[in-house]
């Protein structure tokens, strides 16, 4: 089964890479793949695709993406975890943050290394005065998940602390208003990072 799953991962990633349609290629690939798996005797539904659509799409990207200069090579490992859950009823955690290559593309330097742990103490001191305990706990989880100058957005927030998108938007707005996070330009709309000072001035 390990060899079969690896083969299927390569097959579906190459199929998706063709990108026949301008819109909906990932959905079409999923539907075609489900039908193909059924012809092979697998009893599969679209449930896992619907529940993990973003992960499935991003795992297809990682299976086709190379940036050799930065040491990033295409890999089917994430897609294979998805397929093991689908075909073998295993229960691997499918988190989009594990597919993120942003950290690998950062230029190494002391500021990023040093800001991780010390910042958390500063944040903890500030948020205890401003936010309710539950919200403060959410903020600490986010700070640990996105250390240094890591860029994140609403989908990342909903995944890390398991809240609804509307609540994630509200939380980001509150953090920005208290100058705990700051908006980042050039990475799409609604992207933020924790301020290095991390103080609500």
């Amino acid at each position: 089964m390990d060899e079969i799953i690896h083969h299927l991962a390569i097959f579906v990633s190459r199929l998706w890479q063709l990108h026949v349609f301008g819109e909906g290629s990932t959905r079409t690939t999923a539907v075609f793949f489900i039908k193909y798996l059924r012809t092979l005797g697998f009893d599969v539904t679209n449930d896992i695709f619907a529940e993990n659509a973003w992960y499935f799409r991003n795992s297809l990207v990682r299976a086709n993406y190379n940036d050799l200069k930065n040491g990033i090579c295409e890999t089917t490992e994430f897609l294979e975890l998805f397929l093991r859950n689908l075909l073998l009823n295993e229960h691997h955690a499918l988190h989009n943050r594990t597919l993120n290559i942003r950290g690998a593309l950062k230029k190494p330097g002391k500021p990023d290394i040093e800001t991780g742990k010390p910042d958390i103490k500063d944040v903890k001191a500030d948020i205890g005065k401003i936010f309710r305990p539950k919200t403060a706990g959410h903020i600490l989880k986010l700070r640990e998940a996105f250390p240094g100058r890591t860029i994140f957005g609403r989908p990342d927030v909903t995944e890390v602390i398991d809240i609804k998108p509307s609540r994630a938007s509200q939380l980001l707005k509150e953090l920005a208003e208290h100058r705990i996070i700051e908006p980042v330009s050039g990475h799409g709309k609604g992207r933020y990072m924790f301020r290095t000072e991390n103080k609500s001035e």
Side-chain angles (χ1 to χ4, degrees), residues 97-118:
R97 60 180 176 270
T98 60
L99 290 86
N100 200 314
I101 62 170
R102 202 175 293 126
L105 296 176
K106 277 186 177 179
K107 292 182 179 179
K110 279 192 173 181
D112 280 352
I113 296 170
E114 292 174 350
T115 52
K117 291 185 179 177

Side-chain angles (χ1 to χ4, degrees), residues 55-84:
Y55 181 93
F56 177 61
R57 183 263 180 191
N58 288 343
S59 66
L60 289 168
V61 173
R62 286 300 309 274
N64 286 285
Y65 181 76
N66 288 292
D67 186 345
L68 302 182
K69 183 180 177 183
N70 288 294
I72 300 166
C73 299
E74 62 183 41
T75 175
T76 59
E77 63 177 303
F78 304 105
L79 197 50
E80 288 178 40
L81 290 179
F82 178 90
L83 293 178
R84 295 189 77 86

Side-chain angles (χ1 to χ4, degrees), residues 138-168:
H138 288 337
I139 298 169
L140 287 177
K141 281 185 181 179
L142 292 176
R143 191 63 189 88
E144 291 173 2
F146 309 113
R149 306 291 286 171
T150 305
I151 299 169
F152 60 95
R154 187 178 72 174
D156 305 304
V157 172
T158 59
E159 187 175 334
V160 169
I161 55 180
D162 193 26
I163 58 176
K164 293 181 179 179
S166 57
R167 174 58 187 136

